[in-house]
Amino acid sequence: MASTTPSMTVVSYNTTTWQSNSTQSTYTRNPNEILELNLRFIPLTVVSIPANLGIIILILYHKTLRTQTFFLGVLSLSVFDLCFSVFALPMLLDSLITWGEWRHGYLACLIYIVILNSKIFMTAFMVGALCIERVIVKLRLVALIGEKTATTLSRVTIVIPWCLWLLGAVLIVLAKQGDMTKNRYIHETYCVFLVDHTFHIPFILIAYHIPLYLLVLITITTMVIYKFWKSDWNRLSAEIVEPEVASLFMSTLCVWITSFVFAIFNTPWLIWITRIVICIRRMTECPSIDSYFNNYFVSLIPTAVLPFIWLITVDIRVVLSSVKNRVMTKITSSGGQKNALSFSSLSHKMSSSEDSAVQH
């Protein structure tokens, strides 16, 4: 399939293109390239959509999960990743196959640009917020702060990433609309976010470097706090029960694993896009387009992986175990005979037993 696209100095990932001249060139994807792109992005989309949707349903359906601030944070991250998987990934695949030609309208382009450019930013800040929220809960368990204060701080911590995302989204939309007047042909034909040469370094610092560095810093800091304040951390309030302690430990461990998985998978992309900026300034040799595809695809893998990491938490495993036991009870009667599975009956029994699940 052939399409005509402006010849840019470099393309970061189709929505973020670095401004250059407007001469025309024609590019064609051969069938092998199209097949390779499909083999990468279709399985990623097929796995990430049900995985994130499953976590969302699990949290919303069970009161023991949706009333905890931590799982509201997990819910927020899963909702963002689900939107990314349902909306951005298919359009990204289409854009890569057609060399950036856009066929979905201006409004869809704005949403697509915002989601794609804020992916690393949003995920990094949300996982970092979950790390901080776990420390706040631990402070409550060791009676260093009150329950009301801990609840307020935890909720504010979870909301902050969304506030930052909304601010970033507004700035991206304003920049996109302002650039329409200067590069109307490009924006009418392609869905691109043009970054002026002056703002290359600030853009990658804000969108990529700072969020990822902060995430790693917050994670390491919380690990150091747990290591060197171990005796204080083990001093629990009298009313704290053992299941709550185990739940906190496993959820904290889960967040640490999530943080490092996300950082490791996104580091190659961070290095690649930094090399692009240096390349534009003619300070080093430009990386190949193949390395772009490889590094960017690797950075998207956590979208499908992170939902499975949340299964480590005690609360989700308790809920899944409860669901499994009730389903098996319905399928098999006490005499070993199979029984009809009534979804409405199962739903009623699960909702009536919400309060007996592990509380946090």
Side-chain angles (χ1 to χ4, degrees):
M1 185 179 295
S3 64
T4 303
T5 184
S7 63
M8 301 291 173
T9 302
V10 65
V11 181
S12 68
Y13 58 96
N14 276 294
T15 58
T16 304
T17 52
W18 309 104
Q19 195 162 337
S20 183
N21 58 66
S22 58
T23 57
Q24 304 280 321
S25 300
T26 301
Y27 298 90
T28 304
R29 289 244 184 254
N30 63 51
N32 290 334
E33 289 178 324
I34 295 176
L35 177 61
E36 182 180 356
L37 287 170
N38 285 327
L39 289 176
R40 291 187 181 192
F41 283 90
I42 291 178
L44 179 66
T45 305
V46 169
V47 173
S48 60
I49 290 177
N52 284 287
L53 184 60
I55 293 295
I56 292 171
I57 293 174
L58 207 61
I59 294 174
L60 291 178
Y61 190 75
H62 292 87
K63 185 178 180 181
T64 55
L65 298 180
R66 68 173 182 266
T67 54
Q68 297 181 43
T69 306
F70 173 77
F71 287 105
L72 291 179
V74 174
L75 176 67
S76 297
L77 184 56
S78 298
V79 167
F80 185 87
D81 281 347
L82 179 65
C83 293
F84 183 86
S85 303
V86 171
F87 186 82
L89 276 181
M91 291 190 175
L92 174 61
L93 176 60
D94 178 69
S95 179
L96 291 174
I97 291 175
T98 61
W99 280 100
E101 186 178 356
W102 189 256
R103 301 170 291 188
H104 310 290
Y106 183 67
L107 179 59
C109 177
L110 281 179
I111 300 173
Y112 173 72
I113 285 175
V114 168
I115 293 177
L116 217 59
N117 281 279
S118 60
K119 178 68 175 71
I120 292 179
F121 177 93
M122 181 61 175
T123 305
F125 277 118
M126 183 56 73
V127 176
L130 288 173
C131 284
I132 296 174
E133 191 275 341
R134 291 293 82 188
V135 173
I136 293 173
V137 172
K138 185 68 175 182
L139 290 172
R140 176 179 67 82
L141 293 185
V142 299
L144 292 179
I145 59 176
E147 183 172 353
K148 186 175 181 180
T149 302
T151 301
T152 302
L153 290 176
S154 296
R155 291 176 179 175
V156 170
T157 301
I158 297 301
V159 169
I160 286 177
W162 283 107
C163 296
L164 294 175
W165 179 79
L166 288 174
L167 176 62
V170 170
L171 293 176
I172 290 174
V173 170
L174 291 176
K176 165 74 173 176
Q177 291 179 331
D179 197 61
M180 272 285 289
T181 58
K182 298 183 293 183
N183 301 277
R184 191 166 189 84
Y185 165 76
I186 294 176
H187 291 283
E188 287 179 345
T189 310
Y190 308 98
C191 184
V192 294
F193 179 50
L194 296 176
V195 179
D196 189 79
H197 191 279
T198 308
F199 298 102
H200 286 176
I201 293 178
F203 178 79
I204 67 165
L205 284 176
I206 295 173
Y208 304 107
H209 283 267
I210 292 177
L212 213 57
Y213 294 158
L214 279 178
L215 173 60
V216 174
L217 178 62
I218 290 171
T219 304
I220 293 176
T221 301
T222 57
M223 294 177 74
V224 170
I225 289 174
Y226 269 72
K227 173 67 177 178
F228 291 100
W229 290 3
K230 186 174 181 181
S231 58
D232 291 335
W233 280 150
N234 289 335
R235 179 176 56 82
L236 301 176
S237 300
E239 67 272 13
I240 303 303
V241 295
E242 185 63 29
E244 190 170 359
V245 177
S247 174
L248 175 62
F249 174 77
M250 293 306 297
S251 59
T252 304
L253 178 62
C254 178
V255 175
W256 289 344
I257 295 173
T258 300
S259 174
F260 285 119
V261 166
F262 183 77
I264 290 170
F265 276 92
N266 280 275
T267 296
W269 174 245
L270 189 69
I271 295 172
W272 191 92
I273 202 168
T274 303
R275 288 183 61 194
I276 285 297
V277 174
I278 299 174
C279 161
I280 293 173
R281 298 173 182 273
R282 295 178 173 84
M283 297 173 62
T284 187
E285 185 177 338
C286 293
S288 66
I289 192 67
D290 288 336
S291 65
Y292 152 67
F293 286 128
N294 294 333
N295 292 328
Y296 185 53
F297 176 75
V298 168
S299 73
L300 299 178
I301 292 177
T303 305
V305 172
L306 297 189
F308 296 99
I309 299 179
W310 302 124
L311 300 179
I312 297 175
T313 59
V314 172
D315 306 73
I316 288 184
R317 284 189 285 122
V318 167
V319 169
L320 288 176
S321 178
S322 175
V323 172
K324 177 185 175 182
N325 292 337
R326 293 183 181 282
V327 170
M328 294 304 296
T329 301
K330 276 300 197 178
I331 292 177
T332 307
S333 65
S334 58
Q337 300 295 323
K338 289 188 176 180
N339 191 15
L341 177 62
S342 170
F343 179 81
S344 60
S345 175
L346 176 63
S347 173
H348 175 72
K349 285 192 173 185
M350 288 182 63
S351 61
S352 65
S353 61
E354 284 283 355
D355 296 332
S356 64
V358 175
Q359 297 292 326
H360 188 256

